[in-house]
Amino acid sequence: MTVELISVGTELLMGNIVNTNTQYLAEKCALLGLSLYYQSVVGDNRERLGETLRTALDRSDIVILTGGLGPTEDDLTKETCAEVLGMPLVEDKRTHERIENYLKSNNFAVITENNWKQALVPEGAIILDNDNGTAPGLVLEKEGKTAILLPGPPNEMIPIFRKQVYPYLNHRQPELIRSKMIKVCSLGESVIEDKLLDLIDAQTNPTIATYAKTGEVHIRVTARAESEEAAKKLLSPVVKEIKSRLGNYVYSTKEHETLEMVVVDLLKKYDLTVTTAESCTGGLIAGRLVNVPGASDVFHSGFVTYTNKAKRKFLDVSKSTLKQYGAVSEQTVREMAIGGVFATESDACIAVTGIAGPGGATDDKPVGLVYIATYMKDKVNVEEYHFQGSRAKIREQSVVKALDLLRRSILENYG
Amino acid sequence: MTVELISVGTELLMGNIVNTNTQYLAEKCALLGLSLYYQSVVGDNRERLGETLRTALDRSDIVILTGGLGPTEDDLTKETCAEVLGMPLVEDKRTHERIENYLKSNNFAVITENNWKQALVPEGAIILDNDNGTAPGLVLEKEGKTAILLPGPPNEMIPIFRKQVYPYLNHRQPELIRSKMIKVCSLGESVIEDKLLDLIDAQTNPTIATYAKTGEVHIRVTARAESEEAAKKLLSPVVKEIKSRLGNYVYSTKEHETLEMVVVDLLKKYDLTVTTAESCTGGLIAGRLVNVPGASDVFHSGFVTYTNKAKRKFLDVSKSTLKQYGAVSEQTVREMAIGGVFATESDACIAVTGIAGPGGATDDKPVGLVYIATYMKDKVNVEEYHFQGSRAKIREQSVVKALDLLRRSILENYG
């Protein structure tokens, strides 16, 4: 079965935003064993979208469209699909109510007439409720072809896809495809490929694919089989072999488990509390920990100490350390980690200080120099990194490495 | 003049990597005033690439292809373009030498036979030297149509584009395009469109387009003109009219200015320092402020106080307030904001407490209930929100509204 992606949006054609939806959907389609040969982007234009959709429906079984479902006049993905497939638009009462409730509970003072445009659906469509916005997702089936319409914002698109479209496509795909994800931190993609080269070269079923993420690499092992049991039999030995080759760098083998979930789980397991002492990351490590529902069991408070004065006042970093070694140094990050534990009476602290740029570099301290430390059980672990890229990229990488150092320190001290 | 982008690579179809080249090229084409109506992605497949290229050359004046110029057998973008345009491949001596020098100076031990494949170019092509890799870029002109072939890796593609393709395209494009961005917070997209409906309906030149972002809406006004002055004359009255209709909700009219940049600039302008006191947002407001290089002038330290105990210890929220009204209440957020200022001797504080879910709701306090407060000049401003969506979405919206309340409070108290 073939699938094709069409992203709709003038903001994509203008380069206002990066098209991340396509990568998400392409990865999921591969996971489902669907063959994807074409992706297109078109603007909010009835004629060009219509032409693109006709071409796509001609050559592929399923077309997934994202974007252009908003309430404004430019948004015409639904109208164009309805026209191309010859399905008239009718009002869906349940969607009308859902939109009304959504807008009311989000304190929209005025519900304007154009909001109700989103309650119109092509007759006979399967409606996919949207928990995070007003536009519903839609599945249109006609003469053996399928168009799936999803909202453009990833925080609306992804939950609809995961909960409603994935099961729908899985059901339509007769072949059984099962995969296992192995998530790795603190090892580069080429090092991983090197370690797994013979396995990758020999792959047929299961296949092995690596996906580079910020500071992480995800390895997907995928098998095609006739039964759950046969799939498991194909996957297990390969997954086991990869895990044994990569050791402690593997932080998870669960599809939806994030690095912060693993960290929070480990803290809970060993009944520990942690605090954060952040300089260049400026709250983002705390922000990641709080991503996990129930993080309050292990994370009570954290500090952003962005200036020397703040590091001294809240973390008791000594004036002489700051003067002698500077704010971005092994010595300072060490004192930050220890100070965090004492200020909060937590069991552990993760501390970060670095130069995210573009300013702040000196001859011996370039942009991208970052120190990360953990303190627990009277023991400090410090790591020094030299990251490349933009300010944002350096900070993102620092957050991932910090969470991973925390994970590895807990395993080392309590595991 | 119309331009179209084709990205070539099976790794894009599989979702192994995000396609960032497209955004870069799309933005630059917009800046050049080229009309870009289509972007496509195809795999390293001669038939499908050929078909996609033919369609693109049919409907667009210029086609920019990225990827598939490597030395291996899968790479066949150049071969396919040469075939479609009917230009035979011939060896280019200068490129042969450049490749040889590049490989030698990059310490490649073995130069394999397939490396020389990259010295073959379609006869009559303009050759674009690549300083960061072996594959040259190519410009193929035939019968009024142009194909521009660029290597896929961004660190090779971007320098070639910037130094050689941009001047080439700029020279070919006679028309001037200029646009202005108007960024709005705390007003929904449909409310904005309602307020601007007559302007949007009447648009021809300049055009008006709205883009919804989390908690924000961006409005782009674009004019085509013969001179800078004429473009300005077209844009100014429309931008002025939109600004006057949306008033204080407009936070910026600069292309690359973010909400946090505006907040940091306002703090600098009035010589103020701010601290953050975060519960459910867990450091993300601080993280946004630190996005701005030089934020340390106005932001010295911040707190994540995730538990009642932490709110009492670091922000001096009273035990009785927490007991009587609860951690998620107007009274608590008010004391958090005041406590933040006193703990840090800052001039202002932005405080947030809320229920991000999925747990933590009670009968009278649902998931999504968020209180935001600012304290400055002895004055507290509190806002109550009822957000919907996932934990992540509720937190993201809280961050944007908090930054915007801070912005509005500064304007109210100091503006």
Side-chain angles (χ1 to χ4, degrees), chain A residues 141-169:
Chain A
E141 296 173 341
K142 184 99 180 232
E143 292 162 15
K145 299 287 184 174
T146 304
I148 300 174
L149 286 62
L150 298 172
N155 67 323
E156 300 180 30
M157 188 279 285
I158 291 173
I160 296 178
F161 188 88
R162 205 178 56 221
K163 288 184 217 158
Q164 301 174 75
V165 181
Y166 190 93
Y168 169 85
L169 292 173

Side-chain angles (χ1 to χ4, degrees), chain A residues 19-20 70 132 204 276 380 390:
Chain A
N19 189 352
T20 55
N132 302 299
T204 47
T276 52
V380 181
S390 65

